[in-house]
Amino acid sequence: MLVDLALQGGGSHGAFTWGVLDRLLEEPWLRIEAISGTSAGAMNAAVLADGWTDGGAEGARAALDAYWLRVSKAAAFSPLQRTPIDRMMGRWSIDTSPGYVAMDLMSRMVSPYQLNPFGFNPLDRVLRESIDFERLARSPVKLFITATSVRTGRGRVFRNAQISVDVLLASACLPTMFQAVEIDGEAYWDGGFAGNPTITPLVRESEAKDIILVQINPRERTETPRSASDILNRLNEISFNSPLLKELRMIALLRQVADPGNGEGKRWAAMRPHRIMTDKLAEFGASSKLNAEWEFLSMLKTEGRNSAAEFLLAHGDDLGKRPSADLGVMLDE
C-alpha cells in the first residue's frame, strides 16, 4: 500500500512524529512513497529517507533513534533546562528556567545577528553526523522540504538532490532565534510560515493517493490566552497551521463538487487524507518545544507509537479505500 506522509514541525515535539514513524515502519504492507516535511518534520523526513536507503525500514528506524539521541546529547549542556522545582512537579515546560527567561527577553530586544553573530546552531553538527546527503539524493523515498523566502514570503520546496544541511536548518529557522539561512544567494526562514507542511507536491508528484498527516500544532485552544508568552504561542500556532488548512480545505472542496474540472482538480479530489495526532501535546507549554531531555523525548516517542497504533487499528482498513480525516467540517468554517 503506497502512502505519503505530511510531517509538521514543532521543535522537540517532533519526537512524537518519531514515534509515529517508528510504528508505521513496522508494517511491511505500508510503503512510503513520498514525505513532505517542515522544521522538525523535515529533519524526521530526511533522516528516515537516508536510513531507508541504507537499510530499508529497519535502517530508517535505527537512523531515527540515533538522530534523536544525538539531539538529546547536544542539548545536555544547554542553559535551557528545567529547574529543580519543575522536575519535582513533573512539569516538562521550561518557562521558569533562567536560561529560557533570559533568551525570551533578549529575543524581543536583540536580533540573532547581534546575539549570535557567528550563526551557531547546535543542529548543524547533529545533522552532519546523522545524514549522508549524497545517499539521500538517491533515496527511493521522495522528499519535499519547505523553507520560506525572507524576500518574497513565499515557500520554496526542496527535493532530494537539493537537500543539504543548510536546507534543513533553513526549514527550521525561527527568525527570533537564528540568522536567516542563505541558499543560492537567497535568505530563508522557517518553512512553517509558508507550509506546515506543504501538501501540493505530494498531490502533483507522487503516485500515492493516501496522505497521512502527522499533526503536532493544536488547531484549537479552549481558553483565551492572556499572558504575553501564551498569546505569542497561539499566534505562532495559528500562523503555522494556516497554510496547511488552506490546502486541506481545497481537498475538501474538490471532493464535494460534482465536476472537479481539469486534471489538476481531479488529482486533488482523488486524495484520501488521514490524520494522526494526540491531545497530549496541547498540555505542554510552548517552551517545552525547546526541552530535549532524553526522558521527555522518549515519552513523546511512546505517545507517537501509541497514537499510530490506535490509527492503524481504527483506520488501517481505510487506507487505499476512503479518507478517514473529516475535512467536511472545514467547509463550514
Side-chain angles (χ1 to χ4, degrees):
M1 172 64 61
L2 287 179
V3 298
D4 290 338
L5 301 178
L7 311 181
Q8 278 197 325
S12 296
H13 291 187
F16 169 79
T17 303
W18 166 32
V20 170
L21 298 175
D22 188 69
R23 179 63 185 87
L24 294 180
L25 286 166
E26 290 180 345
E27 298 296 326
W29 58 279
L30 286 178
R31 181 185 146 201
I32 300 171
E33 171 79 1
I35 309 176
S36 178
T38 296
S39 194
M43 313 295 180
N44 276 320
V47 172
L48 182 154
D50 179 47
W52 183 281
T53 308
D54 186 40
E58 288 306 310
R61 294 180 66 204
L64 285 165
D65 289 350
Y67 167 75
W68 283 102
L69 181 59
R70 289 190 181 102
V71 168
S72 180
K73 288 182 176 179
F77 300 102
S78 166
L80 305 179
Q81 303 286 343
R82 289 187 297 160
T83 65
I85 294 178
D86 289 329
R87 296 175 188 274
M88 183 174 63
M89 298 294 293
R91 295 193 294 252
W92 293 108
S93 297
I94 56 174
D95 292 332
T96 58
S97 164
Y100 176 77
V101 172
M103 184 200 72
D104 187 44
L105 290 174
M106 291 293 287
S107 68
R108 299 167 194 260
M109 299 181 291
V110 183
S111 88
Y113 292 86
Q114 299 168 305
L115 193 61
N116 184 12
F118 297 107
F120 173 73
N121 189 324
L123 278 179
D124 185 293
R125 180 177 177 180
V126 171
L127 290 170
R128 293 182 190 278
E129 293 176 346
S130 301
I131 301 172
D132 182 333
F133 288 92
E134 291 185 4
R135 185 170 59 203
L136 181 65
R138 61 178 187 272
S139 175
V141 180
K142 298 177 183 177
L143 291 185
F144 305 105
I145 305 303
T146 303
T148 304
S149 168
V150 178
R151 179 176 59 87
T152 67
R154 296 176 60 184
R156 176 179 173 184
V157 177
F158 296 85
R159 292 156 177 81
N160 293 57
Q162 302 170 308
I163 297 172
S164 63
V165 169
D166 284 342
V167 167
L168 295 177
L169 292 179
S171 185
C173 179
L174 293 174
T176 58
M177 292 184 63
F178 300 106
Q179 297 182 21
V181 180
E182 287 201 7
I183 302 169
D184 300 329
E186 188 86 12
Y188 291 94
W189 280 337
D190 195 298
F193 296 112
N196 192 21
T198 305
I199 302 296
T200 302
L202 296 177
V203 177
R204 292 177 173 173
E205 302 178 40
S206 172
E207 296 300 319
K209 300 301 180 186
D210 292 84
I211 298 177
I212 301 176
L213 167 66
V214 183
Q215 189 167 358
I216 292 179
N217 290 321
R219 276 192 55 201
E220 299 180 358
R221 291 282 185 179
T222 56
E223 298 180 359
T224 301
R226 299 188 181 278
S227 70
S229 60
D230 286 345
I231 291 171
L232 183 60
N233 177 44
R234 187 56 185 152
L235 282 172
N236 286 333
E237 288 177 348
I238 292 172
S239 63
F240 279 2
N241 275 336
S242 179
L244 170 66
L245 292 177
K246 287 180 179 178
E247 289 187 292
L248 294 178
R249 181 176 173 83
M250 183 184 300
I251 295 176
L253 285 167
L254 290 173
R255 287 186 63 86
Q256 290 200 7
V257 296
D259 179 9
N262 59 22
E264 178 80 1
K266 291 179 180 179
R267 288 187 64 85
W268 279 93
M271 301 309 295
R272 294 183 290 266
H274 312 272
R275 180 169 63 177
I276 298 176
M277 60 180 296
T278 178
D279 293 333
K280 194 173 184 65
L281 290 177
E283 299 174 5
F284 307 122
S287 65
S288 67
K289 294 179 180 180
L290 299 175
N291 182 353
E293 294 176 51
W294 183 246
E295 186 180 358
F296 183 50
L297 300 181
S298 297
M299 181 191 68
L300 293 178
K301 178 190 178 183
T302 299
E303 181 67 20
R305 282 186 56 85
N306 292 340
S307 297
E310 291 173 4
F311 167 81
L312 290 171
L313 183 63
H315 301 295
D317 290 340
D318 292 329
L319 293 171
K321 300 176 183 176
R322 65 189 71 86
S324 63
D326 185 10
L327 301 183
V329 296
M330 296 183 183
L331 298 176
D332 300 325
E333 294 180 352

